[in-house]
Amino acid sequence: MRFMLIRTLIFALTLIPTVLMAQGRRIDTTMKVGKAGFRINCYNKSSEKNPITIYPVGFESEARDFSFELKGVLIGAEVDDLNKDGFPELLLYVASFDSLNKSSVIAISSQENKSVAPIVFPDILDDPRLRDGYKGSDKYMLLEGVLMRTYPLYEKDANGVQQPTGKMRRLMYRVAPGEQGTLKFIVSRFYDFQKK
């Protein structure tokens, strides 16, 4: 009886952190490039509806904080001057816990530290060159103004079941002018490599 109680207690203690991690941890941080940047506040309580508030820091007085709901969990954020105009851009990495285990980017650009505007991030499933072999598990990283996205590649076996190939794909995104003065991410290069 005592052994069963100890085993149940150990199981419960290992399960609780897993459940909490599935919801994510609260993120409340400030990131800047020079004197300007953003404060991000997100509780990560739900993967379905997740409120987030962004506070511009070091902006002119007309720039106000704003809130919206994420469909997913905020797993990270970075700030950099991606379009080389001397003002910061904010990248929010958002993971969905659906069957595809897909994550995405929400990007916000400073408009001369007076206001903010979204940067369009393309859906990987819209590009036939990139969606082949895609099954989520994305990792993101900024490197010298270039957004790197890496994910494992899969292929269907004889039974039609997706199996890992042992290869990874890396995409390199740059910010470019879009329509009507907007900004957008474009894939400037991608390549496959063997997973180590």
Side-chain angles (χ1 to χ4, degrees):
M1 181 71 168
R2 185 178 177 138
F3 175 72
M4 184 69 129
L5 180 62
I6 291 171
R7 198 169 95 188
T8 304
L9 183 61
I10 290 172
F11 177 74
L13 289 174
T14 57
L15 183 63
I16 289 170
T18 304
V19 170
L20 292 175
M21 283 174 44
Q23 292 179 337
R25 70 188 196 295
R26 178 180 180 208
I27 294 179
D28 187 354
T29 187
T30 301
M31 294 178 279
K32 296 180 184 178
V33 173
K35 294 183 179 182
F38 302 90
R39 177 177 168 220
I40 302 108
N41 188 344
C42 182
Y43 284 92
N44 274 338
K45 288 186 176 181
S46 167
S47 61
E48 292 299 314
K49 277 203 304 191
N50 206 355
I52 182 171
T53 303
I54 312 256
Y55 306 86
V57 175
F59 282 51
E60 293 185 13
S61 61
E62 63 243 28
R64 303 273 183 234
D65 57 298
F66 54 98
S67 300
F68 55 93
E69 286 187 347
L70 299 176
K71 185 165 173 62
V73 173
L74 182 63
I75 55 174
E78 292 186 273
V79 170
D80 200 355
D81 180 10
L82 299 176
N83 61 348
K84 310 287 189 247
D85 66 352
F87 302 102
E89 277 75 48
L90 172 66
L91 283 85
L92 304 171
Y93 306 127
V94 181
S96 64
F97 294 104
D98 57 11
S99 60
L100 200 54
N101 195 22
K102 181 179 161 192
S103 60
S104 189
V105 173
I106 296 173
I108 299 162
S109 176
S110 166
Q111 304 292 293
E112 299 179 349
N113 289 349
K114 296 176 183 174
S115 62
V116 296
I119 305 174
V120 176
F121 188 77
D123 189 333
I124 197 165
L125 300 178
D126 292 340
D127 190 329
R129 302 171 306 152
L130 303 176
R131 71 175 171 230
D132 188 37
Y134 179 77
K135 199 168 164 43
S137 300
D138 311 84
K139 303 281 188 239
Y140 294 94
M141 177 180 72
L142 275 177
L143 183 63
E144 297 180 7
V146 176
L147 177 61
M148 314 282 260
R149 179 185 199 171
T150 307
Y151 54 88
L153 289 173
Y154 289 78
E155 64 185 4
K156 289 185 179 176
D157 63 12
N159 298 323
V161 177
Q162 294 275 356
Q163 297 294 332
T165 64
K167 291 185 178 180
M168 305 286 288
R169 177 166 290 156
R170 177 161 295 143
L171 282 62
M172 301 168 76
Y173 292 93
R174 291 199 177 274
V175 171
E179 297 173 10
Q180 300 175 354
T182 62
L183 295 174
K184 65 179 180 178
F185 281 97
I186 57 167
V187 177
S188 59
R189 182 175 177 228
F190 72 94
Y191 58 92
D192 300 344
F193 61 95
Q194 193 66 38
K195 187 176 177 180
K196 293 180 182 178

